[in-house]
Amino acid sequence: MNLATELLYSILSYVEGDQPTLVQLSRVSRSWNKAATVYLYKQPSIHLYSQLLALARAPHLHLIKTLNMQMIPHRWRLNMGDALLPILAHAINITDLDLALCNQLHMTRIQEATIHLPLESLSLHGLGHQVTDAIIDRWVTDHPHLLKLDVSACQITDESIYTIAAHCLQLEHLDVSACEAISEDGILHLTRRCAHIRYINIKDCFNVVPQEDGELDHALFDNDDDGWETE
């Protein structure tokens, strides 16, 4: 089945997230295999730790754009770094990295392995004491083009918020829910500094309290002017 390359990629885009279908289509012909491989690796569906280990040995890692650990059960007690480090060494085009609840990671090694990545979205959700102000400083210094950052349930303070505001000027989405040490001072500073911010999750941030002048309420909830969303 010979189709124009543009048409072939257009057809495959309709089943981009359907990995079983993409696998079947990759067996149609060489041209279909080449095109389907791009979509298969773009956002690999990983549901088991064994699949992550297999991915680390696979070719075409440079095609990966999104690497998401959220579907792997018990990842909080698995040594995810054994599989992740070889993947990150070759998957040089990752823009979306989700490490949520991967609690056994050696964070310094992960940071060293990702320094070359063009990250736009990063999730460190639930990593607790593994993610501190010093860790955030390195992440945002290495990746100033982040558009989306999730550091919910991490042990950070306003120092991290100031650092994020200083480096990630294009930031649009920030989740700091359950970061109990941050305050309204940090959040207000970020809203003044990051002109593109549209979403901030401050749920369970018990030290973030409204000010008498109402500036925080205005910054977070004035949907007419700024399109804010909060949870």
Side-chain angles (χ1 to χ4, degrees):
M1 184 183 298
N2 294 318
L3 295 174
T5 302
E6 295 82 1
L7 181 58
L8 187 53
Y9 279 96
S10 179
I11 293 171
L12 290 172
S13 68
Y14 286 97
V15 292
E16 181 174 345
D18 188 344
Q19 300 246 322
T21 298
L22 287 169
V23 170
Q24 294 299 317
L25 292 174
S26 71
R27 297 168 179 165
V28 172
S29 68
R30 288 183 180 180
S31 60
W32 279 78
N33 178 273
K34 182 178 180 180
T37 296
V38 173
Y39 287 101
L40 276 169
Y41 278 87
K42 182 178 180 181
Q43 185 175 340
S45 180
I46 308 167
H47 296 268
L48 297 170
Y49 182 64
S50 59
Q51 292 175 336
L52 187 66
L53 289 171
L55 181 64
R57 300 188 296 271
H60 311 301
L61 294 180
H62 65 284
L63 296 174
I64 298 176
K65 297 289 188 181
T66 297
L67 192 59
N68 191 327
M69 302 295 101
Q70 286 205 28
M71 298 304 295
I72 299 178
H74 310 298
R75 60 192 179 281
W76 44 88
R77 58 182 177 84
L78 295 172
N79 187 2
M80 303 288 286
D82 286 348
L84 276 173
L85 288 172
I87 293 174
L88 294 172
H90 296 93
I92 60 174
N93 295 307
I94 293 176
T95 59
D96 186 339
L97 180 62
D98 193 322
L99 302 175
L101 295 175
C102 295
N103 297 97
Q104 302 304 316
L105 289 176
H106 191 294
M107 192 57 61
T108 301
R109 291 180 183 174
I110 293 296
Q111 289 180 308
E112 291 172 351
T114 58
I115 192 171
H116 61 286
L117 299 182
L119 289 183
E120 296 179 357
S121 177
L122 173 66
S123 176
L124 303 173
H125 162 70
L127 296 186
H129 68 276
Q130 287 183 286
V131 178
T132 61
D133 291 332
I135 293 295
I136 290 296
D137 183 87
R138 179 164 182 183
W139 275 113
V140 300
T141 301
D142 291 343
H143 304 286
H145 302 296
L146 285 171
L147 302 177
K148 182 176 181 180
L149 178 60
D150 184 347
V151 289
S152 54
C154 293
Q155 291 190 0
I156 62 173
T157 70
D158 280 341
E159 182 179 340
S160 285
I161 306 302
Y162 287 118
T163 304
I164 293 167
H167 293 279
C168 300
L169 299 182
Q170 303 302 312
L171 192 68
E172 299 175 357
H173 179 123
L174 177 64
D175 192 337
V176 290
S177 57
C179 294
E180 299 181 7
I182 67 171
S183 74
E184 66 276 8
D185 294 336
I187 297 299
L188 274 172
H189 178 79
L190 183 131
T191 62
R192 295 166 183 154
R193 177 89 174 166
C194 298
H196 299 278
I197 196 76
R198 288 294 177 268
Y199 175 97
I200 302 178
N201 187 348
I202 56 172
K203 183 179 180 181
D204 296 332
C205 294
F206 302 113
N207 279 324
V208 178
V209 296
Q211 295 180 316
E212 292 183 3
D213 60 10
E215 183 179 359
L216 181 64
D217 288 339
H218 175 77
L220 294 180
F221 300 109
D222 188 352
N223 291 325
D224 291 337
D225 294 334
D226 298 311
W228 286 98
E229 297 181 58
T230 60
E231 290 183 3

